[in-house]
Structure formats: C-alpha cells, structure tokens
Amino acid sequence: MVFAAPNEALTRAEELLGADPAPLHASIAHQVIGIWQRDFGDTRQALAHLRRARDLAARADSAEREADVLATLGVALVHSGRTREGLAAFERGVARGSGHTRARVLYRRAYVWWVLGRHREALEDVRRAIPVLRQADDVIWTARALTLRATVHLALGAVERADADFTEAEALWDTTGQEHDKADAVESRGLAAFRSGDVPTALRLLDEAEERYAKLGTPTFMLTIRRCEVLMAAGLATEALAEADGAIAALDGIGGQSTRKAELLLVAARAARLAGEAQTALARAAVAVRLFAGQRRTWYETHARLVLIEARVATGHGSGRLVADAAAVAERLAAFGAPAAPEASLLAGRIALDLGWTADAERHLAVAARSRHGGPPLARMTGWAAQALRARAAGSARGVLEACRRGLDVLDDHRMTLGASELRARATAQGAELAALAQRASLVSGGPRRLLVWSERWRATVLTAPPTRPPADPVLLSTMTAFRELAARADDARTGGGRPVPALEREQRRLEREIRSRTLHMRGEAPGDGDRFDVGRLLDRLGDDVRLVELAVLDGRVHVLLCGQGRVRRFEAGLLAEAEAEAEHVQAGLRRLAHPGAEARLPLVEAAGARLQELLLGPAAAHLGSGPVVVVPPGRLHRVPWALLPVLRERVLSVSPSASSWLRARETAPPPGGRQVLVRGPGLASDGAEVPELADRYGARRPTGTVARDDGVRDAGTRGGDVRDGGRGAGGGVPREPVRVGRPTVLEGDEARVPRVLRELDGAASAHIAAHGTFRADSPLFSSLRMADGPLIVHDFERLDRSPYRIILSCCDTARFASVGADELLGLVTALLPLGTAGVVACCAPVNDAAVVPLMLALHKGLDAGLSLAEALRDARAALPGDAAHQATGWAFSAFGAA
C-alpha cells in the first residue's frame, strides 16, 4: 500500500504503532514509515525507522522479515550516500532470506546497482530474481523487476530489449491497483520514447506520469531528471536548468535523498552548459563529481566529469591535461557501455585539434565517428561532427561538406518528427557546429554560390513546412479560452491604473504552461522539404533588376552575398557584435522619436543608420543597382530597421528570413474571391483611426453575426505553401494582375473577438489589423494582438488552415522576434509565413500612433493601384510629412515576403 496509496499507508502504520503491536507487526509498520520517509520525506528519519524495523524483526525471530527490512534499509543507506553500509546490508539480507523473499531482496539490490551505475551487476541480480518471482505468481514484484531490467537496458542503449520488458510489465500492471507503479510505468515508457528519438511522445508520457504522481501526492525528482534530459534534447536547456535547480531546492527543503541530489546536479550542469552558462555548469558539475565519488557511483561520476571538462573548455581552458582527461573519461564510458562515450571522444579530439595535436585528434575523432552509422539521431550527429572535423584536419573540404550534409540530413529527419514550431526551431541548435563547419569550408574552397547554398541550408528551416495543426483537443481549446479571459482581466486591471491580483497572474502563468505543454506533445506530420534550394532558380526569379542581399556570419564577421543579374558576389562587411550594438542604439532612438519633443535626435538616428549600412553592407552598398532589394538578415539582426539605411531609404525594399522563403512567398498564389478583413482592437491611442476611413473607402460590410466553429477557425482549406503560381513578373514578386479585393468585412467592438477574427482571417486575400501588439521575449509564441475578448496569440494563428495572403499589422513591435536555435526566429510574422501568407507589413519598434494613420492610408492607396506591399510601403513613406515622428514611423515598418 505504501506505493499504491502512500499517505493512507503512512496513517495506518502510525495507527498500528499506537496500539502497541507485537514485534513482528511493529517491524512492518516501522518499515512502511521508513519507505515513506525515504521516498517522500527525510532520509534521516527513514534510516531511524528502518533500523528500528530491523531490530524488531530480529526480536520476532523472523529471518524472512529481517531479510526484507535489510533490503529496504540497504536502499535507504545508498540513497543517503552511505554506499558501503548499504551494500553490506544487502549481503546480510541475501544471506538471511530464502526463496521468494531472497528474490525480492535481489530485485532491490539490482535497483541499487542501477543507482550506482553498475549495470552488469544489476542485470545479473534481476536475472536471478525474475524466474523466482514468476514462479511465486508475484505479479507486482515481477512487473517491478521487468521495469527495472528495461531501464537498465535503456542505460546501455539496448532500446529493443527495453521495449519488450516495458510491454510485458505494462500488461502485468493493468491487472493490479498499484497506481504509483502504473505512473512509474508511464514515466518509463516516456524514457523509452526519448531514447528512441521520439521527443513529442516522451514529453506527453512524462506529463501524463506527472499528473498521476500528483494525484498520489508523490514527489517527482526522478521524473524531473528525465524530463530535463528530454527538454535539453529539444533545445530547451534554459527551462531544463530552471526545473533542475527548482527540484534541488525542494529536495534540500525536505532533507531528501543524497543520490537524487547528485543526479539533479548533474542534469543541471549539463543544462547550464547547453544554455551557455559555463560558470554555472562548472559549479554544478564539481559538486556532482564530489557527491558521486563519495557515493561510490563511478558510472555517474564519469558522466559528471565529462560535463566538467566540457564546461572548462567552454570557459577557454583548453590544455593537454584536458585532452588526457577527456580521453580517460571516454575509455571509462566505453567500458561501461554508456551511449555518451562518443561525445567524450569527440571532446578529446576537438581539444586536441585546437592545440594543433593532429595525430591525437585523429585517434579520438576516429573513435567518435563510429557512432555516425547507428543509434538515435543525436548520437549519429555526434559521429558526423567527428567525421567533419577529421576531414577538416586532413584538408579535405569535400569531406567536410559531405559529413556536414549527412549530419544535417539526420537532424532534418529528427526535426520533422516534431510538430511544434518552437521545438523545430530550437532543435536546430544541435546542428549549429555542422552548419558553421560547412560554411567555413565553402568560404575557403567553394566560392560565393556554395556559401549561399550552405547559408540557406541552415537558415529559417522552421519555415520550410507548416507546423502541425493543433488537434481539436477540447481540453486545449477550453484552456486557451480560460487563458484569454484571464489575460483580458489582467490587462483591464493594468489599464485601469491598478495591478492584477497575484492569484490572477499565477493562474495565467499556469494556463500558459498547460497550453505550451500540450502543443509540445504534437508529432510532425509533414515530410521534410524535398525541394532543395537552387541558386539558379533564385537567380532566374530575381532577373536583372532585383537584388537579393543575404547576410552570412562566419566567425563573427558579416559576409554579404549579393545575388542578381545571373550571379552571386561576396563582400566582407563589419563585425556582427558592432552591428548588433548599433542596431540597439537605433531602436532606442526610434523609441524616443515616437514621442513629442525629440526632433533633435533625428540627425543622430540618421547617422546611426549610415553606420549600420557600413557595418552590414560594406562595399556591397555600391553594387545594389537601382531596382528592388530583398534583404535576408541572420536571426540576430532581426531588429534592424532596414529602411533607415541611406542606400535603401528610397528603394522598393522587402525583408525575408531566407532566400528559400522569399521564393516560396513569390510563388504563392492569392486565394480566389479576394476577401478583405479589417480588424480594430480595443484601447488604441489613435482608436485605430485608419480602419473607419478604410471601411468607408472600400464600402465595407459589417458582419452578420454568424457563429464561429468551436475551435475558432474555418473548415479544411489549402495551406498556402502548397499553392504555386507561375504567372509572376520578375520584379520583386509582383503579380502581373493586381490582387483584387472585394468589399471588406469590418470587425470592431464586441465583434473583434478571437474566434470570430480567426474565422474571417482564414483564407482571406488581405487583412489589416489595428490592435495593441505585445511581444513576449520569454515565450515568443505567446506574443499577441489584443482583441475584445483577450489576446490573439501565435498559437491561435497556427490553427488557421490558411492565413491571409497579405496581412498588415499596424501596431508596435509586431515585427519583433526571438532568435533561437541555429538561426531561427519565433514571432507573429514567422508564424504566418508557413501558413500561406506571402507578404506582411509589420513594425519593429514602438511608434507614434497618430503618425501610423497617414502611413497606413497611403499604403492602402498604393495597394489599390496594384502595387506590392514593398512598393506601396516605399510610396507611403515618401508621402509622409518630413517631421521626426512621421519619418521614424516610416522607418520602423518593414515589408516581409514577396506579395
């Protein structure tokens, strides 16, 4: 009962002791309390109760009872860090017990061997226990033993054997009422899914296990460790670090198991290293190494030493001593049969290469490269990274590029199993080293065309296929509705001059976590994009007039790849870090110019634009011709207001996350019917004044009150990325015939509610949304537009069958993104582009609300004349008054895509 209903078991044990029982029964009661304290409470109290249980069993002269208590005591001693005493207790327990009891003791000793990382001993003990448990028809303990054996198999990389044991154990658990063990089985299946490379299923199962444990009131420290491992594999290292540190604090608060603390410190160290916090990683790993050494847990200690060496390298402490240390760790891990052994060999080889020790590097890298042909995706990528480094050391650019191609293909396959766009974007971080190696090799030997191909190979890959549409999950839909209502109440409290009550904010954060968790469970449905980037096709589409400027960053310097007139040329520009700093100065200047009285800063902002031009375009600025320009910046430069650069101010200018996405946008056909939607959200300083004027201009119709479907979107349609149109002109993606729009639908006041807005947006030819925009750097997919009933978030847009062909967002900060992964962006604009939107006008900075109105009216005037978004935006800027507020507003808006 202590696992099936732990709190009830504790109560009954305490009641039994209060009735002055016989020694045999008192021994059982103290053992139950000891188990509860060991797993859910204070290990010191656990040891006291278990020693008392042992002494009472001896008084009762029951060898079997004493053997059983000794096994429980042995587990508690090991978990408290007293490994030698714990193993000695097991020796006595095995000697005292017989038959069925001895099998249970052997099972628990096998568990301890697993905790200690001594997997061969664990397999041997569980191999001896299982037949006896089966013969005794002991369903619960047989299922436990099978689950343990499966977990040991996973630690050794034997996924198929683990699956067989998990399947058999699960069938046995279904015949019992052991709810704790059933939750443990779900957790174990999540671990198995992760080891096989299925991250969404792993997250779903671990979340399900957490829900089951919560109903039992069971602490989830082991589950936290496993969840952190999955989060790190998904590119969510910062979240993993926060979860691990939180669990460490909670464990310390209850005086919990020393073994679990060491494991949590190890996972926190790994998460900190992946999150770029090298000093934190050093601190966590050093403590973990000491604890594991004191606990005699060599397997874990060796893994902690690997992280410690990685952290030292990350802080710039490469040395011959570290090469030897990494090589020794690799040998020990290989002897254990640990899947992490290739990582250690790769690390040793990488350090040796940096020191110029080519012979040593080749020896270690050759060992690591063996993993490229088998195992889970990230292990194979480790092997291909080692192979690429071997080729680089040998001076073979061709070998580097082939290894990088093969490694990135593995990661592409892995990414497409992920349904959530956030996970796809963050997973690209795993391939950053391969992408950088390939770009360097291209720069040295392949010329500008090859560098462009490799720049595109790893740029904005999350946009290559639409995200998996969230399922019609009633729990998810009701959670999103509740989140929207709470967010609206919190926003009303802020705008009313007060503050939301803390309980309201806590509940809002809880609902955000639940929404995000459910979306991360989605598996990918779309195959990888087989249409590889073709430089020739790009140049054909650009023609003689249009120039595409792709900025690649190698070793901190910006390289300009200028495409047009049938060729690709390369120019060197400035340092990325200096450009980022200048872009932040420009952002600060634009914020000031949005307010009255800042006119004196206008020349300073213009001068900063000139400096940005020199840093970002360098000599390429003189070769742009006189036609339209498409800028493809890296993710870290997404906040640059490109229209501020002197050479681009009077241009037809558009921005795209990649050349590939520009091509797709250019070839996306507008939907039939030409529906237009105008949306005005609440609380705007200008009251969205352009919307009524546009409505009058177009002879708009007001909605008739039709009811949206429960999930707030239209029934099945065609995703825009699948619609191609060859009838385009060569100049900047403008259709030969203008996009015709009918009488627009206007949604304002109470009609501008999220379900209704989504219904009207789905499949529209054009949409103009005037609403407060909020960018969430901490969680970019909760960036939002404020509607009458609360925020319209990125997760809502991903429910659309097809987003509007053109969309104009006339509010602040709608063109802000979070740069994640290798070179990916998450935000409102990037959510729309894979869903069928070919062009977006959005803003990268706070702007003067009053100045936005004439800009938007002029923009629509150009669209009415058949211009593209980029052409209409250029003319709209030129038509603005020359004062600082209007000029800054014009610079802050950009046209994205090619519509």
Side-chain angles (χ1 to χ4, degrees), residues 13 85 121 227 328 341 446 468 500 571 600 660 666 676 680 686 771 836 880:
E85 290 179 60
E121 291 95 331
R227 180 174 165 79
T468 299
F571 301 87
S660 300
R666 189 175 180 279
Q676 186 176 18
R680 180 161 57 154
S686 68
L880 288 173

Side-chain angles (χ1 to χ4, degrees), residues 453-492:
V453 169
W454 278 100
S455 178
E456 281 294 300
R457 179 69 175 81
W458 207 240
R459 183 188 293 268
T461 59
V462 75
L463 305 182
T464 59
T468 299
R469 187 178 175 191
D473 176 357
V475 175
L476 176 60
L477 294 172
S478 63
T479 303
M480 290 180 75
T481 300
F483 162 76
R484 193 172 294 121
E485 291 174 355
L486 273 175
R489 287 165 55 195
D491 202 46
D492 288 343

Side-chain angles (χ1 to χ4, degrees), residues 600-663:
R601 299 192 65 83
L602 184 61
L604 299 176
V605 173
E606 291 184 299
R611 289 193 294 274
L612 266 180
Q613 177 174 303
E614 183 60 30
L615 288 167
L616 296 176
L617 299 180
H623 300 273
L624 295 180
S626 58
V629 173
V630 181
V631 177
V632 179
R636 288 167 63 182
L637 294 175
H638 68 276
R639 296 200 70 192
V640 171
W642 295 97
L644 176 62
L645 275 58
V647 74
L648 300 177
R649 273 183 209 172
E650 298 179 3
R651 299 275 186 156
V652 175
L653 170 65
S654 58
V655 181
S656 181
S658 70
S660 300
S661 62
W662 179 82
L663 278 170

Side-chain angles (χ1 to χ4, degrees), residues 78-81 83 115-116 221-222 225 229 244-245 247-248 251-252 256-270 283-297 300-301 303-305 307:
V78 169
H79 273 314
S80 67
T83 302
V115 169
L116 296 172
F221 297 114
M222 191 68 230
I225 292 166
E229 289 179 357
D245 280 349
I248 291 168
L251 192 68
D252 285 342
Q257 299 169 355
S258 172
T259 51
R260 286 288 177 263
K261 180 173 181 177
E263 292 162 23
L264 284 164
L265 283 164
L266 172 56
V267 83
R270 289 184 57 224
R284 302 287 191 279
V287 178
V289 166
R290 288 199 298 273
L291 285 175
F292 286 132
Q295 295 162 3
R296 301 190 169 198
R297 301 171 73 188
Y300 285 98
E301 180 191 349
H303 281 79
R305 289 192 182 280
V307 181

Side-chain angles (χ1 to χ4, degrees), residues 24 146 326 418 520 701 757 800 804 872 897:
L24 185 69
L146 287 167
L418 308 174
L520 295 184
R701 60 184 176 86
V757 170
L800 295 174

